[in-house]
mmCIF file with all atom_site columns, all heavy atoms in Angstrom:
data_model
loop_
_atom_site.group_PDB
_atom_site.id
_atom_site.type_symbol
_atom_site.label_atom_id
_atom_site.label_alt_id
_atom_site.label_comp_id
_atom_site.label_asym_id
_atom_site.label_entity_id
_atom_site.label_seq_id
_atom_site.pdbx_PDB_ins_code
_atom_site.Cartn_x
_atom_site.Cartn_y
_atom_site.Cartn_z
_atom_site.occupancy
_atom_site.B_iso_or_equiv
_atom_site.pdbx_formal_charge
_atom_site.auth_seq_id
_atom_site.auth_comp_id
_atom_site.auth_asym_id
_atom_site.auth_atom_id
_atom_site.pdbx_PDB_model_num
ATOM 1  N N   . MET G 1 256 ? 15.735 1.576  -10.393 1.00 95.00 ? 256 MET G N   1
ATOM 2  C CA  . MET G 1 256 ? 14.917 2.786  -10.465 1.00 95.00 ? 256 MET G CA  1
ATOM 3  C C   . MET G 1 256 ? 15.786 4.004  -10.748 1.00 95.00 ? 256 MET G C   1
ATOM 4  O O   . MET G 1 256 ? 15.400 4.899  -11.508 1.00 95.00 ? 256 MET G O   1
ATOM 5  C CB  . MET G 1 256 ? 14.121 2.965  -9.164  1.00 95.00 ? 256 MET G CB  1
ATOM 6  C CG  . MET G 1 256 ? 13.013 1.946  -8.977  1.00 95.00 ? 256 MET G CG  1
ATOM 7  S SD  . MET G 1 256 ? 11.858 2.333  -7.629  1.00 95.00 ? 256 MET G SD  1
ATOM 8  C CE  . MET G 1 256 ? 12.875 1.995  -6.198  1.00 95.00 ? 256 MET G CE  1
ATOM 9  N N   . GLN G 1 257 ? 16.963 4.041  -10.137 1.00 94.00 ? 257 GLN G N   1
ATOM 10 C CA  . GLN G 1 257 ? 17.869 5.164  -10.358 1.00 94.00 ? 257 GLN G CA  1
ATOM 11 C C   . GLN G 1 257 ? 18.376 5.177  -11.797 1.00 94.00 ? 257 GLN G C   1
ATOM 12 O O   . GLN G 1 257 ? 18.416 6.232  -12.443 1.00 94.00 ? 257 GLN G O   1
ATOM 13 C CB  . GLN G 1 257 ? 19.056 5.074  -9.384  1.00 94.00 ? 257 GLN G CB  1
ATOM 14 C CG  . GLN G 1 257 ? 19.948 6.306  -9.367  1.00 94.00 ? 257 GLN G CG  1
ATOM 15 C CD  . GLN G 1 257 ? 19.184 7.559  -8.964  1.00 94.00 ? 257 GLN G CD  1
ATOM 16 O OE1 . GLN G 1 257 ? 18.375 7.539  -8.026  1.00 94.00 ? 257 GLN G OE1 1
ATOM 17 N NE2 . GLN G 1 257 ? 19.404 8.642  -9.686  1.00 94.00 ? 257 GLN G NE2 1
ATOM 18 N N   . ARG G 1 258 ? 18.750 3.998  -12.306 1.00 93.00 ? 258 ARG G N   1
ATOM 19 C CA  . ARG G 1 258 ? 19.283 3.919  -13.665 1.00 93.00 ? 258 ARG G CA  1
ATOM 20 C C   . ARG G 1 258 ? 18.228 4.255  -14.715 1.00 93.00 ? 258 ARG G C   1
ATOM 21 O O   . ARG G 1 258 ? 18.545 4.735  -15.794 1.00 93.00 ? 258 ARG G O   1
ATOM 22 C CB  . ARG G 1 258 ? 19.840 2.518  -13.924 1.00 93.00 ? 258 ARG G CB  1
ATOM 23 C CG  . ARG G 1 258 ? 21.145 2.217  -13.183 1.00 93.00 ? 258 ARG G CG  1
ATOM 24 C CD  . ARG G 1 258 ? 21.560 0.758  -13.307 1.00 93.00 ? 258 ARG G CD  1
ATOM 25 N NE  . ARG G 1 258 ? 21.625 0.344  -14.696 1.00 93.00 ? 258 ARG G NE  1
ATOM 26 C CZ  . ARG G 1 258 ? 20.999 -0.732 -15.186 1.00 93.00 ? 258 ARG G CZ  1
ATOM 27 N NH1 . ARG G 1 258 ? 20.247 -1.470 -14.393 1.00 93.00 ? 258 ARG G NH1 1
ATOM 28 N NH2 . ARG G 1 258 ? 21.129 -1.057 -16.454 1.00 93.00 ? 258 ARG G NH2 1
ATOM 29 N N   . LYS G 1 259 ? 16.960 3.986  -14.417 1.00 94.00 ? 259 LYS G N   1
ATOM 30 C CA  . LYS G 1 259 ? 15.891 4.207  -15.396 1.00 94.00 ? 259 LYS G CA  1
ATOM 31 C C   . LYS G 1 259 ? 15.116 5.496  -15.144 1.00 94.00 ? 259 LYS G C   1
ATOM 32 O O   . LYS G 1 259 ? 14.004 5.670  -15.655 1.00 94.00 ? 259 LYS G O   1
ATOM 33 C CB  . LYS G 1 259 ? 14.939 3.004  -15.400 1.00 94.00 ? 259 LYS G CB  1
ATOM 34 C CG  . LYS G 1 259 ? 15.599 1.733  -15.917 1.00 94.00 ? 259 LYS G CG  1
ATOM 35 C CD  . LYS G 1 259 ? 14.615 0.583  -16.023 1.00 94.00 ? 259 LYS G CD  1
ATOM 36 C CE  . LYS G 1 259 ? 15.285 -0.629 -16.648 1.00 94.00 ? 259 LYS G CE  1
ATOM 37 N NZ  . LYS G 1 259 ? 15.626 -0.397 -18.069 1.00 94.00 ? 259 LYS G NZ  1
ATOM 38 N N   . SER G 1 260 ? 15.681 6.401  -14.379 1.00 92.00 ? 260 SER G N   1
ATOM 39 C CA  . SER G 1 260 ? 14.984 7.643  -14.036 1.00 92.00 ? 260 SER G CA  1
ATOM 40 C C   . SER G 1 260 ? 14.564 8.437  -15.266 1.00 92.00 ? 260 SER G C   1
ATOM 41 O O   . SER G 1 260 ? 13.538 9.132  -15.247 1.00 92.00 ? 260 SER G O   1
ATOM 42 C CB  . SER G 1 260 ? 15.868 8.528  -13.151 1.00 92.00 ? 260 SER G CB  1
ATOM 43 O OG  . SER G 1 260 ? 16.066 7.927  -11.903 1.00 92.00 ? 260 SER G OG  1
#
Side-chain angles (χ1 to χ4, degrees):
M256 290 192 288
Q257 189 60 43
R258 288 172 54 233
K259 293 185 175 292
S260 293

